[in-house]
Amino acid sequence: MKKNILLILIGILTVNCSSDESQENSESSTKSSFSFTLDNKTEYASIHDEKINDYDIFPTTWEKKQVTNTADSKYTISSSVSIKGEADEYYHYTDFNIITSDKTLQVNKTYDIDIEVALVLGLPLAKDPTVCYTTASLFVRDETVGKVKITSFDGETIKGEFTISNLSNSNGYSNIGFCNGTQIKEKFFNITKGTFTAIPKK
């Protein structure tokens, strides 16, 4: 009997912990946001659902790390996005870095954006009758230029505005693929009207 009571108590505690964690993720996602416009026509926004197809959806966060063998710091802004207002079966993880020698991010200062390989993989695209593919990964190339202006930072929450030009659907060394039997050509994408509110990563 004691064993049964103990198992019931453990089960209750486990359920309560899971519930508290889900509530915390949900509350965090409503305090954070990430949005941008692709090629001046398609709007994307952060996802605020707790899960999509059993995958956890995380809020927009920032994380600071020291760059090895330098005095620079790297701030990573990350989020999960999809086309604004449309249901999606998956989340699309996106992130970029700010590398600076400043001891802390300076409000109203504009920084260069550093993207390690790709801003986002498999991003869904708005329906376009002129193209047959519906997703694209956005890779950094030599032509890529990104800028971010910090509009607010209180040591806890970072707010900013950003633009990124000349992101490519090609990684530069492998075929992009085929669509209806035709080789997909390289295309460059531009991001404008980017904004974010990021909370510390836990």
Side-chain angles (χ1 to χ4, degrees):
M1 184 65 180
K2 289 182 179 180
K3 288 183 178 179
N4 290 337
I5 293 173
L6 180 60
L7 288 172
I8 290 171
L9 287 173
I10 291 173
I12 292 172
L13 288 172
T14 302
V15 170
N16 285 342
C17 287
S18 298
S19 176
D20 290 344
E21 184 177 347
S22 295
Q23 183 176 357
E24 184 177 343
N25 280 342
S26 179
E27 290 175 352
S28 295
S29 68
T30 59
K31 295 177 182 177
S32 63
S33 63
F34 192 98
S35 64
F36 60 85
T37 299
L38 188 68
D39 285 350
N40 291 319
K41 61 181 180 180
T42 310
E43 295 182 22
Y44 295 80
S46 49
I47 301 170
H48 294 293
D49 295 332
E50 291 176 15
K51 287 180 179 290
I52 292 181
N53 288 345
D54 294 327
Y55 290 99
D56 289 325
I57 302 300
F58 299 100
T60 304
T61 62
W62 67 271
E63 183 179 28
K64 179 182 179 181
K65 291 184 178 180
Q66 198 71 26
V67 179
T68 305
N69 298 325
T70 73
D72 293 344
S73 297
K74 179 173 75 173
Y75 293 81
T76 301
I77 312 296
S78 59
S79 188
S80 302
V81 300
S82 193
I83 295 177
K84 187 176 181 180
E86 291 191 10
D88 203 333
E89 295 181 1
Y90 305 98
Y91 72 90
H92 308 279
Y93 179 81
T94 180
D95 69 351
F96 63 75
N97 303 313
I98 302 169
I99 298 177
T100 176
S101 58
D102 293 342
K103 291 183 178 180
T104 186
L105 292 177
Q106 302 298 306
V107 175
N108 293 324
K109 182 173 180 178
T110 298
Y111 295 89
D112 291 332
I113 286 177
D114 174 76
I115 301 170
E116 293 181 3
V117 178
L119 178 73
V120 60
L121 299 175
L123 187 71
L125 302 176
K127 293 180 180 178
D128 185 342
T130 64
V131 296
C132 62
Y133 54 91
T134 57
T135 65
S137 295
L138 304 183
F139 295 97
V140 62
R141 299 297 297 274
D142 291 341
E143 300 92 337
T144 304
V145 176
K147 299 288 183 180
V148 55
K149 179 181 179 180
I150 305 302
T151 57
S152 175
F153 183 38
D154 59 6
E156 187 76 9
T157 301
I158 302 176
K159 295 183 180 182
E161 302 170 346
F162 66 94
T163 60
I164 308 174
S165 61
N166 293 323
L167 288 162
S168 174
N169 61 345
S170 169
N171 59 21
Y173 57 84
S174 62
N175 289 332
I176 303 171
F178 290 83
C179 192
N180 292 341
T182 302
Q183 173 73 52
I184 298 174
K185 295 181 179 179
E186 182 174 19
K187 179 180 178 180
F188 287 91
F189 295 82
N190 298 309
I191 285 176
T192 57
K193 301 177 184 177
T195 64
F196 65 86
T197 298
I199 58 176
K201 185 176 181 179
K202 295 183 179 180

